[in-house]
Amino acid sequence: MTVAELSAVDMAQANGRYAVELHNTHIYYGSFRAVKDVSLQIERQRITAFIGPSGCGKSTVLRAINRMNDLIPGSRLEGRILFHGKNIYDPDVDPVEVRRRIGMVFQKPNPFPKSIYDNIMFGPRINGWRGTKAQADELVERALRGAAIWDEVKDKLHQPGTALSGGQQQRLCIARALAVQPEVILMDEPCSALDPISTLKIEELMLELRRNYTIIIVTHNMQQASRVSDYTAFFLMDADRAGQLVEYGPTEQIFTSPNDKRTEDYISGRFG
Amino acid sequence: MEQEARVSIERSAVIPAGTINLRGRRRFGERIIETIVFICGAISIFTTTAIVIVLFQEAWLFFGSPEVDLTEFFSTTTWQPETGRFGIWPLMMSTLITSIIALLVAVPLGLGAAIYLSEYASPTARGYLKPILEVLAGVPTVVYGYFALTFVTPVILQGLLGKENVEIYNMLSAGLTMGIMILPLVASMSEDALSAVPRSLREGSYGLGATRLETSVRVVVPAALSGILAAVIVAMSRAVGETMIVALAAGAGPRFTFNPLQAAETMTGHIARISGGDISYASIQYTSIFAIALVLFFMTLLLNLLSGWVVRRFREVYE
C-alpha cells in the first residue's frame, strides 16, 4: 500500500523532470478547432495552473491529459501527449488505464450517491481490490487523511457523501481520486463552487499533495493561481476562436514580468 | 390594449406622483382559461370517484347477499358461480402467475435496453431506436393476444416442450407475451431515469478509471434505482390489469393451479368473459365481477402506493 508513495518518488528520479508533455496538440470538436498547437511540459511534483478567459480552451487541454474528451462525441486530437514517454493517444493505449494513473477532480463536487466509505472504495474496487476489510479501512482512512477531511468524517463513514457540505464534498472527491493512487491529479476549477474558507482548505491541501503528486489546476481565479502554483500557463482565444497557449513559465515570472503584452493585460485585469 | 399600455409608458415620466393607477384591470381571458382548466380537472376527478363508488355499490350487493361469505371469498380455492362457490384464489393466482412471468421477461430485457439506449447507443442510434420501442408500446393488446395464441403457444412452447405437455390455453404463453407488451414501458421509464442521472457522476466514475460497464452498473443504475423500481411497479400494475392477452391466451375457466403450462383464467379475463356474456343484471354472477374488480382495484392501488413509497425511499439525491 505504500506503493503510491514510493512510486511517485521513484518515478521522479527515474523518469526525469516532466510528468506530462504536450507536443503540438490541436483539439477539435467536430470541425471546430478548440485548441491550436499547444506545447508544454508539466514538471513533476509541482502545481501547474492553467489560466485565461472563458472559452480559451484551458479546460479542454486539461481534459485531454486524461482523455476525458473521448467521452464527447466528435472530439479529436492531433499531436502528442506524452506520459512516461508514451503518447497516450496511440491506438494501443486504453483510456481507462490512462485515467487510473491521471486522476481528476471536477468543477462541481460530484460524490457518488453512496456512503463516504463506498465513495473512497469505488476506485480500488473497480481496479480489482482484493484486500481484507482491515486493509480497506486503512486505505479509506489514508485517503481521507490525505485529503484533510478525516477528522470531519471519521464518525460518519457510512453516511452518504452527498450529505456533506460543498467544501467537504470536494475534499471527499479529492480523497476518492487519491485512493486509486494516481501520479497526476487534474483539477478543473475545483474551488469555483466553494466559499472562501473551503477554497482556502483546498489550496492548503494542494500544497500538501504536491509532495507526492503532480497537480494541474484550471482556475479562473488569478489570486489562486499566484497563491498555489509553481508554474502558470496563460491561454487565450485567437482570431478564429481557437484556444492557444500565450505564455508559460514560473508563476512568479508570469505574474511580475510577463514577456507577452497580452499576458500583462490579462494579469493586470485589463480584460477577461 | 397593447397600444394603450405603450402610451401610458410614454406618459409615465410626466405623470405627477400619487396619481398612478395600480388597480388591476379585468383580465377576462385569464378568468375563462382558469375556469376551463378547472372543469377539465374536475371531470377527471369526478369520473374516477364515480367509478370507485359504482364499484363499491355493486360489490356491496355481492358481499351482502346470503350466498356469499367473506371469509370463504378470501380463503377458498374454487370459483364456481353456478354452484355458489366464490373463492377468489384461483383467479388471483392466475393473475399473479401471468404477471410475474411478464415481469421476469420485461424487467431484465427492459433494463438492458434502457442501459443500452442511455449509456451505449450513439445519439443517432438512440434517435432511431426509441421511436421503434414506442411503436411497440402502441400495438393494440388484442394483437398481442392473437400472437400468444397462434404463435407463442403452438410454435414456441409446444415446439420446445412437446404438444402433450402444453395446453393450448396456458398462463406461460400469456405471461411471456404480456412481458413483451410491457417491455417498452419498462425500457422507456428506466431510460428516462438513467438519462436523468447527471453527467458529472459519469465523469467522476470515468475519471477514476472505470469502464463503461462499471460506470453503468455501479454508478448510473444505483443512482437511478428509484426510477427503475417505479418503472417495475408501474409495469406490474399494467400486467395485473391487462385483459385482452390473458382473456385470449391464458384460459377461459377459473382453475387453481401453480403450473404455468396449464390454462387458468385471470381476474381480468374472467370479468371480460362474464360481462361479455348474456347474464342478467340481477344475478349474483353479475355482481360477482364487481367484487373481483374491487379486489383488482385494491391490488393496483397498493402497487401504486408502493411505487410512490419506493421512489421516496430509494431516491439517491445527487445534488
Side-chain angles (χ1 to χ4, degrees):
Chain A
M1 283 309 104
T2 51
V3 175
E5 291 144 37
L6 280 178
S7 67
V9 178
D10 286 350
M11 277 174 222
Q13 289 160 350
N15 294 309
R17 244 178 113 184
Y18 301 117
V20 175
E21 297 173 47
L22 280 74
H23 294 288
N24 306 101
T25 304
H26 304 255
I27 304 170
Y28 299 82
Y29 292 128
S31 57
F32 170 64
R33 177 152 68 178
V35 171
K36 187 165 120 187
D37 200 21
V38 170
S39 295
L40 53 80
Q41 279 101 27
I42 308 286
E43 199 161 321
R44 203 175 287 284
Q45 284 165 283
R46 292 287 179 270
I47 299 174
T48 302
F50 289 0
I51 62 168
S54 299
C56 69
K58 56 194 190 299
S59 281
T60 304
V61 172
L62 186 81
R63 293 165 59 93
I65 297 172
N66 71 343
R67 294 194 59 172
M68 282 305 269
N69 288 333
D70 289 22
L71 303 172
I72 299 164
S75 76
R76 190 162 54 81
L77 182 138
E78 280 170 14
R80 291 181 306 153
I81 297 183
L82 301 184
F83 177 63
H84 288 270
K86 171 79 180 162
N87 180 12
I88 59 168
Y89 282 85
D90 275 350
D92 62 332
V93 171
D94 181 357
V96 167
E97 294 301 323
V98 173
R99 296 185 200 124
R100 283 176 187 181
R101 288 168 181 80
I102 304 179
M104 188 153 197
V105 175
F106 298 84
Q107 184 168 1
K108 220 183 78 188
N110 56 352
F112 301 130
K114 303 174 187 294
S115 71
I116 292 170
Y117 193 97
D118 289 338
N119 261 283
I120 302 296
M121 284 307 290
F122 182 86
R125 280 179 186 145
I126 57 170
N127 286 298
W129 169 261
R130 290 206 212 301
T132 61
K133 174 82 173 72
Q135 284 171 317
D137 291 349
E138 195 197 318
L139 174 67
V140 169
E141 178 173 343
R142 191 152 17 84
L144 290 169
R145 279 191 192 281
I149 191 182
W150 169 253
D151 290 331
E152 291 156 69
V153 300
K154 63 182 176 205
D155 300 322
K156 45 181 177 181
L157 292 178
H158 296 283
Q159 287 173 25
T162 42
L164 298 171
S165 75
Q168 289 174 326
Q169 287 189 13
Q170 195 61 301
R171 277 178 289 146
L172 174 63
C173 292
I174 293 173
R176 185 175 70 182
L178 297 183
V180 291
Q181 303 162 345
E183 288 169 45
V184 180
I185 302 173
L186 309 177
M187 297 187 172
D188 190 358
E189 298 187 43
C191 302
S192 66
L194 306 181
D195 61 84
I197 298 196
S198 306
T199 300
L200 193 66
K201 282 188 180 156
I202 305 266
E203 288 179 7
E204 285 169 357
L205 173 59
M206 287 168 63
L207 294 170
E208 192 66 29
L209 292 171
R210 182 174 58 170
R211 292 195 296 192
N212 294 314
Y213 303 92
T214 305
I215 296 174
I216 309 173
I217 177 176
V218 161
T219 178
H220 261 120
N221 180 336
M222 282 185 287
Q223 280 79 27
Q224 182 169 60
S226 67
R227 276 194 302 262
V228 300
S229 70
D230 302 294
Y231 294 92
T232 297
F234 173 59
F235 291 85
L236 202 57
M237 228 191 293
D238 70 0
D240 37 310
R241 305 207 352 263
Q244 56 178 339
L245 180 63
V246 174
E247 192 168 354
Y248 177 47
T251 298
E252 207 189 316
Q253 187 222 315
I254 297 280
F255 278 85
T256 55
S257 53
N259 291 324
D260 196 293
K261 179 77 170 62
R262 293 169 293 174
T263 315
E264 194 186 336
D265 286 350
Y266 185 72
I267 302 283
S268 58
R270 233 163 281 172
F271 73 95
Chain B
M1 243 192 278
E2 210 179 295
Q3 214 170 15
E4 216 176 84
R6 207 177 306 130
V7 170
S8 72
I9 286 165
E10 280 163 7
R11 278 195 201 141
S12 67
V14 293
I15 291 175
T19 61
I20 293 172
N21 182 5
L22 291 177
R23 266 183 300 158
R25 272 177 297 127
R26 288 187 190 183
R27 299 184 173 86
F28 286 109
E30 194 74 9
R31 291 293 294 276
I32 291 166
I33 294 294
E34 191 184 325
T35 313
I36 291 173
V37 291
F38 174 78
I39 291 171
C40 294
I43 286 176
S44 66
I45 292 175
F46 173 76
T47 43
T48 313
T49 321
I51 289 170
V52 174
I53 289 172
V54 170
L55 212 53
F56 270 92
Q57 266 181 349
E58 298 288 334
W60 182 256
L61 284 178
F62 173 77
F63 288 118
S65 78
E67 299 150 73
V68 179
D69 175 39
L70 200 60
T71 351
E72 196 192 308
F73 183 78
F74 284 112
S75 64
T76 61
T77 57
T78 312
W79 183 274
Q80 267 176 2
E82 302 81 10
T83 60
R85 299 175 73 182
F86 297 99
I88 188 89
W89 277 106
L91 299 171
M92 204 134 99
M93 214 57 215
S94 172
T95 291
L96 289 176
I97 290 173
T98 48
S99 302
I100 287 166
I101 294 170
L103 286 183
L104 290 178
V105 173
V107 171
L109 288 181
L111 190 55
I115 291 175
Y116 172 73
L117 284 175
S118 121
E119 307 301 310
Y120 287 84
S122 68
T124 335
R126 186 166 38 234
Y128 284 110
L129 289 171
K130 250 207 134 170
I132 292 176
L133 206 63
E134 273 145 21
V135 166
L136 200 60
V139 175
T141 58
V142 67
V143 176
Y144 282 107
Y146 271 110
F147 174 68
L149 194 59
T150 61
F151 180 74
V152 178
T153 299
V155 179
I156 297 180
L157 294 182
Q158 292 186 333
L160 286 175
L161 301 169
K163 225 176 164 106
E164 63 288 353
N165 298 321
V166 184
E167 293 180 10
I168 185 69
Y169 295 107
N170 66 78
M171 292 186 281
L172 184 59
S173 160
L176 292 175
T177 312
M178 204 148 73
I180 303 294
M181 182 203 84
I182 58 176
L183 194 156
L185 182 76
V186 177
S188 158
M189 279 183 73
S190 305
E191 204 262 334
D192 290 343
L194 294 172
S195 302
V197 173
R199 193 187 154 75
S200 65
L201 282 188
R202 293 186 180 85
E203 289 200 328
S205 171
Y206 287 124
L208 290 164
T211 61
R212 216 177 260 265
L213 180 69
E214 286 159 348
T215 302
S216 309
V217 173
R218 295 186 184 221
V219 174
V220 183
V221 170
L225 194 64
S226 77
I228 292 168
L229 288 176
V232 171
I233 292 170
V234 169
M236 175 93 189
S237 66
R238 234 353 255 289
V240 166
E242 167 51 32
T243 307
M244 216 53 219
I245 297 173
V246 288
L248 285 170
R255 175 175 188 186
F256 188 71
T257 174
F258 293 97
N259 181 355
L261 299 178
Q262 290 182 331
E265 198 168 43
T266 66
M267 299 163 84
T268 50
H270 185 75
I271 294 172
R273 185 168 59 89
I274 297 301
S275 53
D278 42 8
I279 45 163
S280 138
Y281 283 167
S283 71
I284 183 95
Q285 239 183 323
Y286 177 76
T287 53
S288 80
I289 64 177
F290 285 91
I292 301 171
L294 191 65
V295 174
L296 204 56
F297 170 75
F298 276 111
M299 281 171 79
T300 46
L301 183 68
L302 203 69
L303 286 170
N304 284 338
L305 293 176
L306 190 67
S307 114
W309 177 80
V310 159
V311 169
R312 283 192 302 277
R313 168 69 183 72
F314 289 96
R315 188 171 55 198
E316 290 193 335
V317 185
Y318 12 78
E319 295 290 338

